[in-house]
Amino acid sequence: MAENDSLALFLASAVDAAKKAGQLIRKGFYEIKHVEHKGQVDLVTETDKACEELIFNHLKQLYPTHKFIGEETTAACGVTELTDDPTWIADPLDGTTNFVHGFPFVCVSIGLTIGKIPTVGVVHNPIIDELFTGIRGGGAFLNKKPIKVSTQSELVKSLLATEAGTKRDNLTVDATTGRLNSLLSSCSVEQVRSLRMTGSCALNLCGIACGRLDLFYELGFGGPWDVAGGAVIVTEAGGSVYDPSGKDFDITSQRVAASNPLLKDAFVKALQESE
């Protein structure tokens, strides 16, 4: 089977899994949630766990030789090393806090890495019925229609997304708010137009991919499951995914920035100056 055919088959399998998990999320969204705490403000529900089990059972039946990394199994069993083998990386419910509060920015994120490179990506928001997909070398799509990143070239006219994260120690909070203060109001750092916090790393990446957002960065997020699906979608939409320092993106680093190529250099400079 040709590589492109294989990737298309992998994508179709991931879409099927995401839609099945999406049905669970949509059902649970309107019901009373049973919430557990993984940290002070980091939440998990029975829907997170059920969706991850569904996704991996579906994919393991189809691809028993592939490897699998999931947010909830990692939390329960420890970190699984990412290798060059085909590896499915899933966040069964990105935006759990949104889910608990009934805020409709939630999604299933499924990515496939081959040689540690994000190669297939699916991000599905079942509440507002949006399905983002991408295959390396095959373009990016929203509900089967091609998408492209924005053409904005000025930071001051750009919409930025980021997240506050789940750590609440004074050092982390001060660093986070200080960086935002610089990006929004500092005379010494080039400013952005405005800021959004949607509560979902995967959907922020997809916002970059379809041009709704111009800039995104996040530091210290949960793990590769937050970015594995969205990274390939951004890249295939003509965008750039990189470390906030400007170095190459490392899917395991818990650091990500994304933008269109026109904004990258200015954005990296602004981030460095905001430290």
Side-chain angles (χ1 to χ4, degrees), residues 7 11 14 88-89 109-114 116-123 132-141 147-149 202 205-206 208-210 224 226-242 249 251 256-258:
L7 295 182
L11 177 66
W88 294 97
I89 306 176
S109 175
I110 302 174
L112 175 68
T113 62
I114 299 175
K116 299 181 183 177
I117 297 172
T119 304
V120 172
V122 174
V123 176
F132 293 89
T133 57
I135 295 178
R136 192 175 185 214
F141 301 84
I147 54 175
K148 289 293 181 185
V149 294
L205 287 167
C206 290
I208 294 291
C210 69
D226 289 309
V227 294
V232 64
I233 295 170
V234 171
T235 303
E236 289 304 314
S240 300
V241 181
Y242 44 94
F249 172 61
I251 194 172
V256 67

Tab-separated table of all heavy atoms in Angstrom, residues 7 11 14 88-89 109-114 116-123 132-141 147-149 202 205-206 208-210 224 226-242 249 251 256-258:
chain	number	residue	atom	x	y	z
A	7	LEU	N	-1.729	6.682	5.028
A	7	LEU	CA	-2.035	7.835	5.867
A	7	LEU	C	-3.514	8.177	5.794
A	7	LEU	O	-4.126	8.543	6.808
A	7	LEU	CB	-1.181	9.039	5.448
A	7	LEU	CG	0.327	8.897	5.653
A	7	LEU	CD1	1.041	10.180	5.245
A	7	LEU	CD2	0.664	8.531	7.088
A	11	LEU	N	-6.039	8.265	8.913
A	11	LEU	CA	-6.892	9.418	9.202
A	11	LEU	C	-8.348	8.998	9.352
A	11	LEU	O	-9.031	9.415	10.291
A	11	LEU	CB	-6.768	10.467	8.095
A	11	LEU	CG	-7.671	11.692	8.251
A	11	LEU	CD1	-7.273	12.508	9.466
A	11	LEU	CD2	-7.648	12.552	6.991
A	14	ALA	N	-8.882	7.421	12.659
A	14	ALA	CA	-8.867	8.400	13.746
A	14	ALA	C	-10.154	9.216	13.771
A	14	ALA	O	-10.683	9.527	14.844
A	14	ALA	CB	-7.656	9.318	13.598
A	88	TRP	N	0.041	6.386	18.367
A	88	TRP	CA	-1.181	7.172	18.515
A	88	TRP	C	-1.141	7.894	19.858
A	88	TRP	O	-0.911	7.272	20.894
A	88	TRP	CB	-2.407	6.267	18.453
A	88	TRP	CG	-2.599	5.626	17.109
A	88	TRP	CD1	-2.203	4.372	16.733
A	88	TRP	CD2	-3.243	6.199	15.971
A	88	TRP	NE1	-2.558	4.128	15.422
A	88	TRP	CE2	-3.198	5.240	14.923
A	88	TRP	CE3	-3.841	7.440	15.723
A	88	TRP	CZ2	-3.740	5.483	13.662
A	88	TRP	CZ3	-4.387	7.675	14.467
A	88	TRP	CH2	-4.329	6.709	13.455
A	89	ILE	N	-1.353	9.206	19.809
A	89	ILE	CA	-1.292	10.036	21.015
A	89	ILE	C	-2.636	10.755	21.142
A	89	ILE	O	-3.008	11.530	20.253
A	89	ILE	CB	-0.133	11.050	20.935
A	89	ILE	CG1	1.186	10.320	20.651
A	89	ILE	CG2	-0.051	11.856	22.221
A	89	ILE	CD1	2.369	11.252	20.451
A	109	SER	N	-8.791	15.019	20.809
A	109	SER	CA	-7.597	15.245	20.000
A	109	SER	C	-6.856	13.927	19.824
A	109	SER	O	-6.506	13.272	20.799
A	109	SER	CB	-6.681	16.269	20.673
A	109	SER	OG	-5.471	16.398	19.953
A	110	ILE	N	-6.639	13.548	18.569
A	110	ILE	CA	-5.917	12.317	18.245
A	110	ILE	C	-4.831	12.643	17.230
A	110	ILE	O	-5.099	13.244	16.183
A	110	ILE	CB	-6.858	11.240	17.657
A	110	ILE	CG1	-7.996	10.922	18.627
A	110	ILE	CG2	-6.075	9.972	17.313
A	110	ILE	CD1	-9.039	9.980	18.046
A	111	GLY	N	-3.612	12.267	17.555
A	111	GLY	CA	-2.500	12.454	16.626
A	111	GLY	C	-1.745	11.154	16.425
A	111	GLY	O	-1.690	10.306	17.323
A	112	LEU	N	-1.176	11.002	15.259
A	112	LEU	CA	-0.310	9.858	14.966
A	112	LEU	C	1.072	10.387	14.617
A	112	LEU	O	1.221	11.201	13.696
A	112	LEU	CB	-0.857	9.042	13.798
A	112	LEU	CG	0.039	7.883	13.315
A	112	LEU	CD1	0.133	6.784	14.362
A	112	LEU	CD2	-0.473	7.306	11.986
A	113	THR	N	2.079	9.954	15.378
A	113	THR	CA	3.456	10.294	15.035
A	113	THR	C	4.120	9.086	14.382
A	113	THR	O	3.888	7.941	14.768
A	113	THR	CB	4.275	10.712	16.272
A	113	THR	OG1	4.342	9.620	17.201
A	113	THR	CG2	3.658	11.924	16.947
A	114	ILE	N	4.951	9.367	13.381
A	114	ILE	CA	5.772	8.347	12.738
A	114	ILE	C	7.183	8.912	12.697
A	114	ILE	O	7.410	9.995	12.156
A	114	ILE	CB	5.263	8.016	11.324
A	114	ILE	CG1	3.826	7.472	11.379
A	114	ILE	CG2	6.189	6.999	10.653
A	114	ILE	CD1	3.199	7.224	10.021
A	116	LYS	N	8.568	10.017	15.297
A	116	LYS	CA	8.384	11.120	16.257
A	116	LYS	C	7.837	12.394	15.618
A	116	LYS	O	7.757	13.430	16.274
A	116	LYS	CB	9.696	11.433	16.996
A	116	LYS	CG	10.250	10.278	17.812
A	116	LYS	CD	11.531	10.664	18.526
A	116	LYS	CE	12.125	9.471	19.278
A	116	LYS	NZ	13.408	9.798	19.917
A	117	ILE	N	7.463	12.331	14.352
A	117	ILE	CA	6.950	13.501	13.638
A	117	ILE	C	5.430	13.421	13.571
A	117	ILE	O	4.870	12.409	13.126
A	117	ILE	CB	7.518	13.566	12.213
A	117	ILE	CG1	9.036	13.733	12.261
A	117	ILE	CG2	6.886	14.711	11.429
A	117	ILE	CD1	9.701	13.611	10.912
A	118	PRO	N	4.714	14.461	14.013
A	118	PRO	CA	3.249	14.473	13.865
A	118	PRO	C	2.871	14.342	12.402
A	118	PRO	O	3.287	15.144	11.564
A	118	PRO	CB	2.849	15.838	14.436
A	118	PRO	CG	3.957	16.204	15.376
A	118	PRO	CD	5.207	15.652	14.737
A	119	THR	N	2.091	13.307	12.083
A	119	THR	CA	1.835	12.946	10.691
A	119	THR	C	0.357	12.958	10.336
A	119	THR	O	-0.019	13.300	9.214
A	119	THR	CB	2.442	11.554	10.414
A	119	THR	OG1	3.841	11.583	10.735
A	119	THR	CG2	2.264	11.149	8.964
A	120	VAL	N	-0.486	12.584	11.275
A	120	VAL	CA	-1.942	12.607	11.095
A	120	VAL	C	-2.545	13.284	12.312
A	120	VAL	O	-2.121	13.017	13.447
A	120	VAL	CB	-2.512	11.181	10.944
A	120	VAL	CG1	-4.043	11.193	10.949
A	120	VAL	CG2	-1.989	10.517	9.675
A	121	GLY	N	-3.501	14.167	12.092
A	121	GLY	CA	-4.133	14.855	13.209
A	121	GLY	C	-5.636	14.986	13.039
A	121	GLY	O	-6.115	15.287	11.937
A	122	VAL	N	-6.362	14.748	14.129
A	122	VAL	CA	-7.813	14.925	14.165
A	122	VAL	C	-8.166	15.640	15.464
A	122	VAL	O	-7.744	15.211	16.544
A	122	VAL	CB	-8.560	13.571	14.106
A	122	VAL	CG1	-10.063	13.773	14.303
A	122	VAL	CG2	-8.289	12.863	12.795
A	123	VAL	N	-8.912	16.729	15.359
A	123	VAL	CA	-9.421	17.445	16.527
A	123	VAL	C	-10.906	17.681	16.291
A	123	VAL	O	-11.286	18.342	15.327
A	123	VAL	CB	-8.683	18.778	16.752
A	123	VAL	CG1	-9.317	19.547	17.918
A	123	VAL	CG2	-7.198	18.530	17.020
A	132	PHE	N	-11.647	19.123	12.682
A	132	PHE	CA	-10.404	19.548	12.032
A	132	PHE	C	-9.573	18.304	11.727
A	132	PHE	O	-9.427	17.422	12.582
A	132	PHE	CB	-9.601	20.461	12.955
A	132	PHE	CG	-10.238	21.789	13.241
A	132	PHE	CD1	-11.103	21.935	14.314
A	132	PHE	CD2	-9.965	22.896	12.447
A	132	PHE	CE1	-11.691	23.162	14.596
A	132	PHE	CE2	-10.543	24.129	12.723
A	132	PHE	CZ	-11.406	24.266	13.793
A	133	THR	N	-9.014	18.253	10.514
A	133	THR	CA	-8.188	17.103	10.127
A	133	THR	C	-6.968	17.574	9.346
A	133	THR	O	-6.986	18.631	8.709
A	133	THR	CB	-8.969	16.111	9.246
A	133	THR	OG1	-9.461	16.789	8.086
A	133	THR	CG2	-10.135	15.501	10.004
A	134	GLY	N	-5.919	16.768	9.408
A	134	GLY	CA	-4.721	17.059	8.629
A	134	GLY	C	-3.873	15.820	8.441
A	134	GLY	O	-3.801	14.969	9.329
A	135	ILE	N	-3.258	15.723	7.284
A	135	ILE	CA	-2.289	14.665	6.978
A	135	ILE	C	-1.023	15.341	6.476
A	135	ILE	O	-1.098	16.268	5.652
A	135	ILE	CB	-2.793	13.710	5.885
A	135	ILE	CG1	-4.023	12.936	6.345
A	135	ILE	CG2	-1.707	12.729	5.473
A	135	ILE	CD1	-4.580	12.026	5.259
A	136	ARG	N	0.121	14.915	6.964
A	136	ARG	CA	1.379	15.511	6.517
A	136	ARG	C	1.496	15.410	4.997
A	136	ARG	O	1.442	14.332	4.420
A	136	ARG	CB	2.551	14.799	7.194
A	136	ARG	CG	3.855	15.539	6.996
A	136	ARG	CD	4.973	14.888	7.772
A	136	ARG	NE	6.194	15.678	7.674
A	136	ARG	CZ	7.407	15.173	7.653
A	136	ARG	NH1	7.580	13.864	7.755
A	136	ARG	NH2	8.456	15.952	7.575
A	137	GLY	N	1.604	16.569	4.354
A	137	GLY	CA	1.695	16.624	2.900
A	137	GLY	C	0.359	16.618	2.192
A	137	GLY	O	0.312	16.682	0.962
A	138	GLY	N	-0.746	16.586	2.963
A	138	GLY	CA	-2.068	16.465	2.340
A	138	GLY	C	-3.042	17.578	2.660
A	138	GLY	O	-4.218	17.501	2.302
A	139	GLY	N	-2.581	18.629	3.339
A	139	GLY	CA	-3.465	19.754	3.622
A	139	GLY	C	-4.223	19.605	4.923
A	139	GLY	O	-4.191	18.561	5.581
A	140	ALA	N	-4.915	20.682	5.293
A	140	ALA	CA	-5.712	20.730	6.522
A	140	ALA	C	-7.129	21.138	6.184
A	140	ALA	O	-7.359	21.931	5.258
A	140	ALA	CB	-5.094	21.723	7.512
A	141	PHE	N	-8.074	20.629	6.983
A	141	PHE	CA	-9.488	20.805	6.650
A	141	PHE	C	-10.322	21.022	7.911
A	141	PHE	O	-9.997	20.509	8.981
A	141	PHE	CB	-10.011	19.578	5.904
A	141	PHE	CG	-9.276	19.298	4.619
A	141	PHE	CD1	-8.089	18.567	4.631
A	141	PHE	CD2	-9.743	19.790	3.414
A	141	PHE	CE1	-7.396	18.323	3.457
A	141	PHE	CE2	-9.060	19.550	2.234
A	141	PHE	CZ	-7.878	18.817	2.249
A	147	ILE	N	-8.539	24.709	4.888
A	147	ILE	CA	-8.314	25.872	5.745
A	147	ILE	C	-6.879	26.351	5.596
A	147	ILE	O	-5.978	25.583	5.248
A	147	ILE	CB	-8.625	25.581	7.224
A	147	ILE	CG1	-7.852	24.340	7.727
A	147	ILE	CG2	-10.123	25.436	7.447
A	147	ILE	CD1	-8.020	24.066	9.212
A	148	LYS	N	-6.678	27.640	5.876
A	148	LYS	CA	-5.354	28.255	5.836
A	148	LYS	C	-5.200	29.199	7.020
A	148	LYS	O	-6.178	29.753	7.529
A	148	LYS	CB	-5.163	29.054	4.534
A	148	LYS	CG	-5.032	28.190	3.294
A	148	LYS	CD	-3.740	27.384	3.309
A	148	LYS	CE	-3.578	26.529	2.060
A	148	LYS	NZ	-2.373	25.668	2.153
A	149	VAL	N	-3.970	29.394	7.444
A	149	VAL	CA	-3.673	30.348	8.513
A	149	VAL	C	-3.932	31.766	8.016
A	149	VAL	O	-4.077	32.011	6.820
A	149	VAL	CB	-2.212	30.208	8.989
A	149	VAL	CG1	-1.986	28.866	9.647
A	149	VAL	CG2	-1.229	30.414	7.823
A	202	ALA	N	-5.508	22.135	22.091
A	202	ALA	CA	-5.763	21.587	20.759
A	202	ALA	C	-6.624	22.527	19.923
A	202	ALA	O	-6.360	22.745	18.737
A	202	ALA	CB	-6.427	20.217	20.869
A	205	LEU	N	-4.652	25.585	18.752
A	205	LEU	CA	-3.873	25.269	17.554
A	205	LEU	C	-4.754	25.267	16.306
A	205	LEU	O	-4.366	25.797	15.262
A	205	LEU	CB	-3.176	23.920	17.719
A	205	LEU	CG	-1.982	23.901	18.677
A	205	LEU	CD1	-1.570	22.467	19.002
A	205	LEU	CD2	-0.799	24.685	18.107
A	206	CYS	N	-5.937	24.714	16.437
A	206	CYS	CA	-6.848	24.703	15.289
A	206	CYS	C	-7.329	26.108	14.952
A	206	CYS	O	-7.596	26.412	13.780
A	206	CYS	CB	-8.031	23.782	15.569
A	206	CYS	SG	-7.582	22.029	15.589
A	208	ILE	N	-5.434	28.724	15.135
A	208	ILE	CA	-4.348	29.217	14.281
A	208	ILE	C	-4.516	28.669	12.868
A	208	ILE	O	-4.391	29.395	11.869
A	208	ILE	CB	-2.972	28.802	14.846
A	208	ILE	CG1	-2.700	29.481	16.197
A	208	ILE	CG2	-1.859	29.115	13.842
A	208	ILE	CD1	-2.465	30.968	16.136
A	209	ALA	N	-4.799	27.377	12.758
A	209	ALA	CA	-4.872	26.719	11.450
A	209	ALA	C	-5.945	27.316	10.544
A	209	ALA	O	-5.755	27.404	9.326
A	209	ALA	CB	-5.114	25.219	11.635
A	210	CYS	N	-7.073	27.726	11.119
A	210	CYS	CA	-8.157	28.241	10.277
A	210	CYS	C	-8.216	29.766	10.253
A	210	CYS	O	-9.146	30.339	9.669
A	210	CYS	CB	-9.504	27.657	10.701
A	210	CYS	SG	-10.103	28.221	12.304
A	224	PRO	N	2.314	15.503	25.367
A	224	PRO	CA	2.222	15.467	23.904
A	224	PRO	C	0.803	15.289	23.372
A	224	PRO	O	0.518	15.666	22.237
A	224	PRO	CB	3.113	14.283	23.510
A	224	PRO	CG	3.222	13.445	24.743
A	224	PRO	CD	3.160	14.403	25.893
A	226	ASP	N	-1.703	16.971	24.120
A	226	ASP	CA	-2.319	18.285	23.907
A	226	ASP	C	-2.006	18.857	22.530
A	226	ASP	O	-2.740	19.714	22.034
A	226	ASP	CB	-1.842	19.268	24.977
A	226	ASP	CG	-2.418	18.976	26.352
A	226	ASP	OD1	-3.644	18.838	26.449
A	226	ASP	OD2	-1.641	18.879	27.316
A	227	VAL	N	-0.904	18.433	21.923
A	227	VAL	CA	-0.419	19.065	20.689
A	227	VAL	C	-0.284	18.114	19.503
A	227	VAL	O	-0.105	18.572	18.367
A	227	VAL	CB	0.938	19.760	20.938
A	227	VAL	CG1	0.770	20.937	21.889
A	227	VAL	CG2	1.981	18.783	21.486
A	228	ALA	N	-0.361	16.816	19.725
A	228	ALA	CA	-0.072	15.849	18.657
A	228	ALA	C	-1.030	15.974	17.488
A	228	ALA	O	-0.631	15.852	16.320
A	228	ALA	CB	-0.104	14.422	19.211
A	229	GLY	N	-2.301	16.218	17.768
A	229	GLY	CA	-3.272	16.367	16.693
A	229	GLY	C	-3.196	17.727	16.036
A	229	GLY	O	-3.175	17.853	14.803
A	230	GLY	N	-3.138	18.783	16.850
A	230	GLY	CA	-3.182	20.136	16.321
A	230	GLY	C	-1.940	20.555	15.568
A	230	GLY	O	-2.021	21.363	14.636
A	231	ALA	N	-0.775	20.020	15.936
A	231	ALA	CA	0.479	20.458	15.308
A	231	ALA	C	0.483	20.185	13.816
A	231	ALA	O	0.870	21.048	13.013
A	231	ALA	CB	1.671	19.770	15.981
A	232	VAL	N	0.072	18.996	13.416
A	232	VAL	CA	0.083	18.675	11.979
A	232	VAL	C	-0.990	19.480	11.243
A	232	VAL	O	-0.802	19.882	10.086
A	232	VAL	CB	-0.084	17.154	11.746
A	232	VAL	CG1	-1.433	16.654	12.227
A	232	VAL	CG2	0.093	16.805	10.279
A	233	ILE	N	-2.101	19.788	11.907
A	233	ILE	CA	-3.158	20.576	11.276
A	233	ILE	C	-2.673	21.997	11.005
A	233	ILE	O	-2.904	22.551	9.924
A	233	ILE	CB	-4.428	20.560	12.156
A	233	ILE	CG1	-4.989	19.132	12.230
A	233	ILE	CG2	-5.489	21.511	11.614
A	233	ILE	CD1	-6.090	18.944	13.260
A	234	VAL	N	-1.963	22.598	11.971
A	234	VAL	CA	-1.397	23.936	11.764
A	234	VAL	C	-0.403	23.924	10.614
A	234	VAL	O	-0.457	24.775	9.704
A	234	VAL	CB	-0.709	24.454	13.038
A	234	VAL	CG1	0.061	25.746	12.748
A	234	VAL	CG2	-1.721	24.693	14.142
A	235	THR	N	0.511	22.968	10.633
A	235	THR	CA	1.547	22.910	9.600
A	235	THR	C	0.932	22.746	8.216
A	235	THR	O	1.335	23.425	7.256
A	235	THR	CB	2.513	21.748	9.890
A	235	THR	OG1	3.079	21.926	11.191
A	235	THR	CG2	3.628	21.694	8.867
A	236	GLU	N	-0.057	21.879	8.118
A	236	GLU	CA	-0.685	21.631	6.820
A	236	GLU	C	-1.572	22.786	6.361
A	236	GLU	O	-1.902	22.889	5.182
A	236	GLU	CB	-1.485	20.325	6.871
A	236	GLU	CG	-0.610	19.100	6.928
A	236	GLU	CD	0.381	19.046	5.770
A	236	GLU	OE1	-0.029	19.288	4.614
A	236	GLU	OE2	1.578	18.793	6.028
A	237	ALA	N	-1.927	23.670	7.285
A	237	ALA	CA	-2.677	24.879	6.926
A	237	ALA	C	-1.745	26.025	6.555
A	237	ALA	O	-2.198	27.150	6.344
A	237	ALA	CB	-3.583	25.297	8.082
A	238	GLY	N	-0.447	25.746	6.479
A	238	GLY	CA	0.523	26.761	6.095
A	238	GLY	C	1.137	27.496	7.253
A	238	GLY	O	1.865	28.478	7.060
A	239	GLY	N	0.885	27.037	8.476
A	239	GLY	CA	1.397	27.707	9.657
A	239	GLY	C	2.719	27.146	10.134
A	239	GLY	O	3.259	26.183	9.575
A	240	SER	N	3.234	27.774	11.178
A	240	SER	CA	4.491	27.352	11.788
A	240	SER	C	4.237	26.954	13.232
A	240	SER	O	3.536	27.655	13.962
A	240	SER	CB	5.515	28.493	11.758
A	240	SER	OG	5.793	28.899	10.431
A	241	VAL	N	4.798	25.824	13.641
A	241	VAL	CA	4.745	25.361	15.026
A	241	VAL	C	6.180	25.266	15.511
A	241	VAL	O	7.030	24.653	14.848
A	241	VAL	CB	4.043	23.996	15.143
A	241	VAL	CG1	3.969	23.550	16.598
A	241	VAL	CG2	2.646	24.051	14.529
A	242	TYR	N	6.480	25.873	16.662
A	242	TYR	CA	7.858	25.991	17.106
A	242	TYR	C	7.905	26.159	18.617
A	242	TYR	O	6.874	26.369	19.273
A	242	TYR	CB	8.540	27.180	16.421
A	242	TYR	CG	7.700	28.430	16.358
A	242	TYR	CD1	7.789	29.428	17.326
A	242	TYR	CD2	6.793	28.621	15.314
A	242	TYR	CE1	7.011	30.573	17.270
A	242	TYR	CE2	6.005	29.765	15.241
A	242	TYR	CZ	6.119	30.737	16.222
A	242	TYR	OH	5.329	31.863	16.159
A	249	PHE	N	10.268	22.791	17.240
A	249	PHE	CA	9.224	22.229	18.093
A	249	PHE	C	9.596	20.821	18.527
A	249	PHE	O	10.021	19.998	17.716
A	249	PHE	CB	7.905	22.210	17.313
A	249	PHE	CG	6.785	21.487	18.003
A	249	PHE	CD1	6.305	21.910	19.234
A	249	PHE	CD2	6.173	20.392	17.395
A	249	PHE	CE1	5.262	21.253	19.862
A	249	PHE	CE2	5.124	19.735	18.005
A	249	PHE	CZ	4.669	20.160	19.244
A	251	ILE	N	7.723	17.765	20.480
A	251	ILE	CA	6.388	17.359	20.913
A	251	ILE	C	6.351	16.919	22.371
A	251	ILE	O	5.305	16.932	23.019
A	251	ILE	CB	5.840	16.250	19.986
A	251	ILE	CG1	4.343	16.051	20.184
A	251	ILE	CG2	6.599	14.952	20.185
A	251	ILE	CD1	3.711	15.112	19.184
A	256	VAL	N	5.025	25.143	23.443
A	256	VAL	CA	4.602	25.265	22.054
A	256	VAL	C	4.266	26.711	21.732
A	256	VAL	O	3.779	27.460	22.583
A	256	VAL	CB	3.385	24.357	21.746
A	256	VAL	CG1	2.135	24.819	22.497
A	256	VAL	CG2	3.114	24.280	20.252
A	257	ALA	N	4.571	27.102	20.513
A	257	ALA	CA	4.100	28.365	19.950
A	257	ALA	C	3.676	28.085	18.515
A	257	ALA	O	4.200	27.168	17.864
A	257	ALA	CB	5.181	29.437	19.987
A	258	ALA	N	2.718	28.867	18.026
A	258	ALA	CA	2.238	28.681	16.659
A	258	ALA	C	1.744	30.012	16.113
A	258	ALA	O	1.219	30.851	16.844
A	258	ALA	CB	1.127	27.639	16.604
